Amino acid sequence: KLMSSRRSVLLKDITEDVFQVIPVSQDEGDVAYAFNQYHLISAPVVDEEGRLVGAITIDDAMAVLDEENEEDILRLAGVGEESSLSDSVAETSRMRLPWLAVNLATAILASSVIALFETTISQFVALAVLMPIVASMGGNAGTQSLTVAVRALATKDLTGANAWRVIRRELVVGLLNGLVFAVVMGVVSLIWFGVPAIGWVIAVAMVINLIVAGLAGVGIPLILERAGVDPALASGTFVTTVTDVVGFFVFLGLAGMVLL
């Protein structure tokens, strides 16, 4: 009897470890994540009373993961999760128009920062030539961090438990990349315009903006998820806005202090 009891307990433990029971009301994205995380082949589906109502196989879960990945890509581009080549011109325009309007508003905000330094730019034409480089590098760096963060949130690899570690990593990466390109652009600016101060200004601005880009690329998706907003849908616009505004403000602000 003792041996039989022990075998029963052991069998129960093994059963609980091997089988993952899926509630019928569970979100399909969470189900797909469970299959991927625990390497499941199939899982029973039960209703609220624990009765078996069906089963899910790995084929179903992988199909859902593919759909989730496609939705994230479309949302990051701001074209809507239902976009396809078969959509009409009116449907395509309707889905893209709202986020283009948001982008226009954020572009006006970035332009207003430039307008604050109109006098500085008018005295040093080189600044107008160089400032798009700072903003563009920050935007690209932010998009790199953003893409990794949104994907990690979707797969639940990025959570509150490891958020600070990931943020610190992106800050260090931004610092290192910023230093590399600061040296490159400092030398290029010196050769191009022959003014050492401009080289120092763009070098410092490059470092600061790439650090901010790394922070924004991870921080903004985390904040949006905490607020209940899909990070894939709204993060890109906010990250680009932050890197543009910070890039212009730091570059032109430093130029005003150093060159005038």
Side-chain angles (χ1 to χ4, degrees), residues 19-128:
F19 293 104
Q20 179 77 27
V21 178
I22 307 296
V24 70
S25 59
Q26 188 166 352
D27 181 81
E28 62 178 12
D30 293 336
V31 174
Y33 167 76
F35 268 76
N36 186 55
Q37 183 74 11
Y38 302 111
H39 308 291
L40 302 177
I41 302 300
S42 64
V45 179
V46 298
D47 61 15
E48 291 80 1
E49 298 179 2
R51 294 175 299 189
L52 182 67
V53 295
I56 297 176
T57 66
I58 190 171
D59 293 338
D60 301 323
M62 293 305 101
V64 171
L65 278 181
D66 289 340
E67 292 175 2
E68 293 283 331
N69 291 338
E70 182 180 356
E71 287 179 6
D72 286 346
I73 292 172
L74 292 173
R75 287 175 174 178
L76 279 172
V79 295
E81 60 187 75
E82 302 296 333
S83 298
S84 70
L85 293 177
S86 61
D87 292 339
S88 67
V89 172
E91 290 173 332
T92 303
S93 177
R94 177 181 56 81
M95 286 186 290
R96 297 183 185 182
L97 190 62
W99 284 108
L100 288 175
V102 173
N103 286 334
L104 176 61
T106 57
I108 292 174
L109 175 62
S111 297
S112 66
V113 173
I114 298 174
L116 296 174
F117 302 96
E118 183 178 353
T119 302
T120 305
I121 297 173
S122 65
Q123 294 185 32
F124 296 93
V125 179
L127 300 179

Side-chain angles (χ1 to χ4, degrees), residues 106-224:
T106 57
I108 292 174
L109 175 62
S111 297
S112 66
V113 173
I114 298 174
L116 296 174
F117 302 96
E118 183 178 353
T119 302
T120 305
I121 297 173
S122 65
Q123 294 185 32
F124 296 93
V125 179
L127 300 179
V129 177
L130 295 174
M131 67 181 183
I133 298 175
V134 178
S136 177
M137 290 296 294
N140 287 332
T143 300
Q144 290 174 337
S145 298
L146 169 65
T147 303
V148 173
V150 169
R151 177 60 183 154
L153 285 170
T155 59
K156 295 181 172 56
D157 291 329
L158 177 57
T159 63
N162 65 354
W164 284 113
R165 179 178 61 81
V166 175
I167 290 174
R168 287 195 298 270
R169 188 197 68 173
E170 291 299 324
L171 289 175
V172 174
V173 170
L175 173 61
L176 294 177
N177 289 340
L179 290 173
V180 170
F181 290 108
V183 172
V184 173
M185 281 309 304
V187 173
V188 169
S189 301
L190 178 60
I191 296 173
W192 197 347
F193 299 104
V195 181
I198 292 180
W200 282 108
V201 167
I202 193 171
V204 174
M206 190 78 72
V207 172
I208 293 175
N209 205 25
L210 262 66
I211 292 174
V212 170
L215 176 61
V218 177
I220 288 176
L222 284 169
I223 293 172
L224 290 176

